[in-house]
């Protein structure tokens, strides 16, 4: 399976890139927005393509998907302002979904935020939470994926991400009590989801836990 990773230079996606060398059935094609980011992927033998989620067109991304079997969306504006949050986390995500459909790539894994939905949005607005716009953007990107596409989607909702070494064990579900999860374990969850068709049209929160990832996602 060849996988186009959008947001490949992010921390979770870099963990994903480091893991792929151990999986002969997974080949990555990394989308980066600046050629200066290329070295990391060259060192790992990973093909790169320079595209900007804000400025490149749907057709540009569809062309980049012409030789892949799946798409992972792991891009985010990273708290760089309201405009970029809307352009990357909402419009950018929908742009990539639309490109996948144009390219006839069915499998799509979305890395979202821990909790979305009207209740979470209302709570964020009421408390003037710093990530309220981010939550809104992620929520409607998720809703578009679920209700406005025919893609074979999986939506992963990670807890607070840490740089601790992953141990390959998590807890998954919906309505979990918020806590942390290593980025390495989210990357492993992406890989496991790509390999397990039972995760298609499923969404789940992921936190550090005690179940092996491949086992945990089967029981969602």
């Amino acid at each position: 399976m060849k996988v186009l990773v959008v947001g490949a230079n992010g921390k979770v996606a870099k963990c994903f890139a480091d893991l792929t060398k151990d999986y002969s059935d997974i080949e990555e094609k990394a989308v980066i927005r600046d050629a200066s980011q290329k070295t990391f992927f060259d060192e790992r033998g990973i093909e790169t393509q320079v595209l900007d989620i804000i400025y490149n067109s749907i057709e540009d991304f569809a062309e980049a998907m012409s030789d892949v079997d799946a798409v992972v969306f792991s891009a985010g504006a990273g708290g760089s302002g309201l405009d970029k949050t809307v352009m990357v986390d909402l419009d950018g995500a929908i742009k990539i979904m639309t490109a996948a459909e144009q390219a006839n790539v069915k499998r799509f894994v979305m890395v979202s935020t821990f909790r979305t939905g009207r209740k979470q949005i209302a709570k964020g607005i009421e408390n003037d939470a710093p990530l309220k716009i981010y939550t809104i953007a992620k929520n409607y990107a998720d809703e578009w994926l679920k209700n406005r596409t025919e893609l074979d989607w999986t939506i992963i909702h990670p807890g607070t991400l840490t740089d601790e070494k992953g141990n390959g064990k998590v807890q998954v579900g919906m309505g979990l009590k918020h806590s942390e999860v290593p980025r390495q374990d989210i990357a492993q969850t992406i890989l496991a989801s790509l390999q397990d068709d039972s995760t298609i049209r499923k969404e789940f929160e992921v936190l550090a836990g005690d179940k092996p990832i491949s086992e945990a996602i089967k029981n969602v």
Side-chain angles (χ1 to χ4, degrees):
M1 178 187 294
K2 189 169 184 178
V3 183
L4 186 83
V5 179
V6 180
N9 199 55
K11 289 184 178 181
V12 168
K14 281 185 168 181
C15 291
F16 179 89
D18 279 332
L19 288 170
T20 56
K21 67 181 183 298
D22 297 323
Y23 290 79
S24 59
D25 58 336
I26 299 287
E27 178 186 358
E28 179 177 352
K29 182 177 183 179
V31 172
I32 53 177
R33 63 182 177 83
D34 193 303
S36 66
Q37 300 168 345
K38 195 171 182 291
T39 303
F40 174 89
F41 301 96
D42 287 345
E43 289 172 349
R44 289 155 178 79
I46 293 172
E47 177 186 356
T48 57
Q49 183 145 1
V50 179
L51 291 170
D52 191 300
I53 197 170
I54 294 175
Y55 297 107
N56 281 101
S57 68
I58 290 168
E59 290 71 24
D60 291 335
F61 280 97
E63 184 177 351
M65 296 174 191
S66 63
D67 61 343
V68 306
D69 307 295
V71 174
V72 171
F73 187 88
S74 188
S80 54
L82 171 59
D83 287 354
K84 282 196 173 178
T85 298
V86 172
M87 288 189 286
V88 173
D89 295 283
L90 178 51
D91 184 62
I94 293 170
K95 183 186 287 187
I96 301 307
M97 296 171 210
T98 306
E101 292 197 302
Q102 283 192 10
N104 294 313
V105 178
K106 293 286 286 182
R107 193 70 175 97
F108 196 103
V109 175
M110 169 76 84
V111 182
S112 185
T113 191
F114 179 68
R115 188 153 295 154
T116 56
R118 287 304 321 169
K119 186 180 290 188
Q120 191 68 20
I121 290 171
K123 182 180 176 183
I125 292 170
E126 182 180 346
N127 297 329
D128 196 24
L131 293 178
K132 61 183 180 295
I133 303 300
Y134 175 77
T135 301
I136 292 169
K138 287 295 190 187
N139 177 74
Y140 286 106
D142 293 350
E143 289 300 307
W144 189 285
L145 180 58
K146 290 186 286 185
N147 299 309
R148 299 288 293 274
T149 78
E150 297 299 323
L151 297 168
D152 290 337
W153 52 265
T154 302
I155 302 174
I156 296 170
H157 298 275
T160 297
L161 295 164
T162 74
D163 292 324
E164 298 294 319
K165 184 176 174 60
N167 66 359
K169 295 183 178 181
V170 295
Q171 58 174 315
V172 304
M174 294 299 284
L176 301 177
K177 184 178 180 181
H178 183 265
S179 63
E180 297 180 338
V181 62
R183 287 180 171 87
Q184 285 185 350
D185 285 335
I186 294 300
Q188 188 77 58
T189 302
I190 296 168
L191 272 166
S193 296
L194 287 166
Q195 295 174 308
D196 187 344
D197 286 350
S198 74
T199 64
I200 290 175
R201 297 192 172 267
K202 301 278 183 67
E203 62 179 314
F204 44 88
E205 297 161 359
V206 184
L207 302 171
D210 57 8
K211 274 194 175 180
I213 289 167
S214 59
E215 178 185 339
I217 64 173
K218 284 184 184 299
N219 297 320
V220 176

